[in-house]
Amino acid sequence: MTTAWQSAPAVRPRSVRPKAVARAGLYAVLAANVAVVTALFVAAGLSSNALVLVGRLTGLYGALLMAFQLLLVARLPWLDRRLGMDRLTSWHRWVGFSLLWMLLAHAVFITFGYAGLASLPPVDELVSLATTVQGVLRAIVALVLILLVGGVSARFARRRMAYETWHFIHLYTYIAVVLAFSHQIGVGTTFTASPAATAYWWGVWGFALGSVIAGRLVLPLWRNVRHRLRVISVVPESEDVVSIYITGRDLHRLPARAGQFFLWRFLTRDRWWQANPFSLSAAPDGRHLRLTAKALGEGSASLRELKPGTRVFAEGPYGAFTTLHQTRPNTLLVAGGVGITPVRALLEELRGHVVVIYRVSRPQDAVLLHELRGLARNRGAVLHVVTGPSNARTPDGPPLGPRAISRAVPDIRDRDVFVCGPPGMTSAVLQSVRELGVPKQQVHAERFSLAG
């Protein structure tokens, strides 16, 4: 479907990108704290034993990384709107593995260092420290818990485990944090070396834990008490796709934007404990929210059985897949499967000329196609529905290859590109736009696991 090209209000290019500001801010905060920790470590006095010296320093850096880990998963709105939960979660994962190695190094260097000073085998020294020094046993338990969480977070284990099981085990991290902090209070020489050091570490842990409590507990509870969300209707879109319409009180005050998602809990007897990430499939209008989901699992398959009036507990909005990051007057939206839901919402809100490429295996899999056609017609947008198997080839190569995209969107280098869909499709499109020379700052992607 192609319509006439229509001019629209220009988007003023941003001199500083929100993502760059947030990323630079996180790097600066981490670097500044590394400098402070190092300075406090030196000021506390250095050990004559090199192994103990390295062990103490790796322990301090491990404590700092643990606090930084909490900040990354605190779901603070300012960070989330600029970086997105998928990117923050990815950083959290890699920082977690760095933390694991840092704490292992701390345990090994400290044990071998003190074993050398006491002329004892390392195992005997570890047992002696655990039984005679206050706080060491708590540190060992914390390390074991972090090893457990790290093990189940490895890709080969995570893929074989239900999300609810993995999430429950992951909660042991908070126990490890408390144990590690109590260990630092009990035996940390740097912690007690000066009032400034004590105040600094209390401030670091207080801010990190306070951020988690505020972002993951207080803010969601306050928003749900304020808005009192409930289902008003359930509309089947196809045999395996359903739209849920939700209303509430003062929804115009809920800071949700097109392209974002919530973690939804429908408070029925058999579903209240399940939290599923579904994107808004329509731009928020201040009166209703809508999500559209495909029956990919037992939880989403039961959505069509929801009754009007069902209470809803929603965490969010989350995600950086919004017009906040638009840098150019015109836009290309690329969606695959149910990844069309945030793209369809964005189509309502975006300014400038828009081209939509919607990739599905079969024409009947094109969810919300009638709405997309109506929106495209009203907005003067161009809609391309690309069908066929994933290994299909066209005269221009793969359906979402560089030549095919360039033919559909000749001016792609002058557009923002928003991509949402399954991981394979998303990776293929990102590779294509890189080959076409689209500047990195104009490309925005949302992982399907969080969007759909």
Side-chain angles (χ1 to χ4, degrees):
M1 168 183 165
T2 305
T3 62
W5 192 285
Q6 189 179 68
S7 62
V11 175
R12 180 181 297 178
R14 297 179 184 274
S15 57
V16 181
R17 293 181 295 129
K19 285 182 183 178
V21 171
R23 187 167 53 245
L26 280 178
Y27 291 160
V29 167
L30 183 59
N33 279 276
V34 168
V36 172
V37 167
T38 305
L40 292 174
F41 171 75
V42 173
L46 303 180
S47 171
S48 59
N49 185 292
L51 293 178
V52 172
L53 188 71
V54 174
R56 287 173 52 200
L57 189 58
T58 53
L60 292 172
Y61 288 156
L64 183 60
L65 283 178
M66 191 175 289
F68 191 64
Q69 278 278 77
L70 295 176
L71 183 63
L72 290 176
V73 295
R75 298 177 185 170
L76 299 177
W78 189 88
L79 278 178
D80 185 82
R81 285 196 298 266
R82 286 157 178 80
L83 295 172
M85 187 189 290
D86 54 348
R87 181 174 279 104
L88 289 170
T89 301
S90 176
W91 290 356
H92 170 79
R93 181 174 182 272
W94 287 110
V95 171
F97 288 121
S98 300
L99 168 65
L100 179 62
W101 288 110
M102 195 71 70
L103 294 184
L104 280 173
H106 169 65
V108 170
F109 282 116
I110 285 290
T111 300
F112 276 80
Y114 281 115
L117 292 174
S119 300
L120 289 173
V123 174
D124 291 347
E125 179 61 23
L126 180 62
V127 172
S128 175
L129 290 172
T131 56
T132 61
V133 179
Q134 181 183 6
V136 172
L137 184 58
R138 293 194 293 268
I140 293 173
V141 174
L143 179 58
V144 170
L145 290 176
I146 290 173
L147 286 170
L148 172 65
V149 172
V152 301
S153 297
R155 291 189 187 276
F156 71 89
R158 177 68 185 89
R159 290 171 179 169
R160 292 166 172 78
M161 189 176 299
Y163 171 79
E164 288 78 15
T165 304
W166 173 84
H167 186 263
F168 179 78
I169 295 175
H170 213 71
L171 292 177
Y172 283 106
T173 302
Y174 295 106
I175 299 176
V177 167
V178 173
L179 292 173
F181 184 44
S182 65
H183 164 71
Q184 189 178 16
I185 293 175
V187 300
T189 55
T190 302
F191 188 92
T192 58
S194 68
T198 302
Y200 168 78
W201 281 109
W202 274 106
V204 166
W205 286 109
F207 181 79
L209 289 170
S211 297
V212 171
I213 293 171
R216 303 194 66 160
L217 182 63
V218 176
L219 185 58
L221 286 174
W222 178 76
R223 282 179 174 168
N224 280 274
V225 169
R226 181 182 191 182
H227 298 297
R228 300 182 184 178
L229 302 175
R230 67 183 188 279
V231 174
I232 56 170
S233 65
V234 179
V235 180
E237 302 288 353
S238 69
E239 292 182 357
D240 57 354
V241 177
V242 63
S243 288
I244 312 295
Y245 290 79
I246 294 166
T247 190
R249 188 176 64 176
D250 297 331
L251 285 188
H252 63 284
R253 297 183 181 275
L254 183 65
R257 300 187 64 166
Q260 291 189 302
F261 69 96
F262 288 78
L263 298 177
W264 304 93
R265 293 179 188 268
F266 297 96
L267 305 183
T268 62
R269 181 177 301 177
D270 57 341
R271 289 191 55 94
W272 65 268
W273 54 275
Q274 292 180 327
N276 297 109
F278 295 119
S279 291
L280 297 174
S281 59
D285 60 5
R287 295 165 301 165
H288 306 96
L289 301 173
R290 187 183 77 171
L291 64 96
T292 301
K294 188 172 183 178
L296 298 174
E298 183 179 348
S300 54
S302 64
L303 288 176
R304 65 176 59 240
E305 300 173 6
L306 290 172
K307 305 298 182 184
T310 300
R311 293 297 302 271
V312 182
F313 188 94
E315 298 176 50
Y318 298 127
F321 197 67
T322 69
T323 57
L324 174 66
H325 302 283
Q326 187 178 4
T327 65
R328 309 299 299 172
N330 302 319
T331 310
L332 167 64
L333 303 175
V334 185
V338 186
I340 194 63
T341 55
V343 165
R344 182 253 179 253
L346 275 176
L347 183 56
E348 289 186 76
E349 189 175 300
L350 281 166
R351 296 180 293 169
H353 185 265
V354 181
V355 176
V356 182
I357 298 178
Y358 186 11
R359 178 75 170 95
V360 289
S361 298
R362 305 173 303 168
Q364 56 268 38
D365 295 331
V367 180
L368 305 177
L369 184 57
H370 62 291
E371 294 186 12
L372 288 167
R373 285 172 171 161
L375 282 170
R377 185 185 310 110
N378 293 335
R379 296 200 68 257
V382 176
L383 172 63
H384 300 283
V385 180
V386 181
T387 61
S390 58
N391 59 354
R393 289 294 184 269
T394 71
D396 294 313
L400 296 179
R403 289 167 54 194
I405 292 179
S406 179
R407 178 179 289 274
V409 195
D411 62 340
I412 187 172
R413 294 180 186 174
D414 295 324
R415 293 175 178 264
D416 279 288
V417 180
F418 288 80
V419 186
C420 183
M425 189 218 80
T426 300
S427 298
V429 173
L430 294 179
Q431 177 63 31
S432 294
V433 298
R434 280 195 294 269
E435 293 181 21
L436 290 171
V438 180
K440 185 177 180 180
Q441 64 268 22
Q442 294 171 213
V443 181
H444 322 282
E446 183 88 310
R447 296 299 175 187
F448 182 76
S449 59
L450 291 178

